[in-house]
Amino acid sequence: MRDNNINYETIEYLKEKLTITTLSHISRSLNLNPKQLIRTYDKNFKSLKIDINTLSDSQVFTLIVKNPNILERPIIIKKDKGVIGRPPENLLNLI
């Protein structure tokens, strides 16, 4: 993004707590269901020993709020559209 002179704001979600409202907005912007926001392959998620398929959307948001390190990242949002920035080529859909 820097290479293309695109202004952006970094949100340090581990320092500034995420809210369910923010996560709901992110989910809508990415057009993903809440379960798709979780890094299910990550050791932090695996250590929770939770069957994500048994959780409601609100329970998933609460889980992320309590364990923000399981959130997929980076997330890039431009206006009301967004992408997960991995692989980096996903950014091209926003630019």
Side-chain angles (χ1 to χ4, degrees), residues 19-65:
T19 65
I20 290 174
T21 302
T22 300
L23 290 169
S24 179
H25 171 66
I26 289 170
S27 179
R28 285 191 311 274
S29 295
L30 296 174
N31 197 29
L32 296 175
N33 73 55
K35 292 176 180 126
Q36 292 174 291
L37 297 177
I38 293 182
R39 299 164 55 110
T40 56
Y41 53 86
D42 186 271
K43 66 178 178 159
N44 294 305
F45 175 75
K46 288 181 179 182
S47 71
L48 297 172
K49 298 182 181 184
I50 293 175
D51 180 359
I52 195 168
N53 296 312
T54 64
L55 302 179
S56 69
D57 289 353
S58 63
Q59 289 172 316
V60 171
F61 289 144
T62 299
L63 182 66
I64 296 170
V65 167

Side-chain angles (χ1 to χ4, degrees), residues 80-93:
D80 62 346
K81 301 280 184 193
V83 295
I84 294 175
R86 261 182 310 126
E89 293 79 25
N90 286 350
L91 290 173
L92 298 176
N93 295 327

Side-chain angles (χ1 to χ4, degrees), residues 60-82:
V60 171
F61 289 144
T62 299
L63 182 66
I64 296 170
V65 167
K66 291 180 179 179
N67 304 279
N69 54 354
I70 66 172
L71 180 66
E72 280 286 0
R73 56 199 181 270
I75 295 173
I76 299 88
I77 297 177
K78 180 180 179 184
K79 297 187 182 180
D80 62 346
K81 301 280 184 193

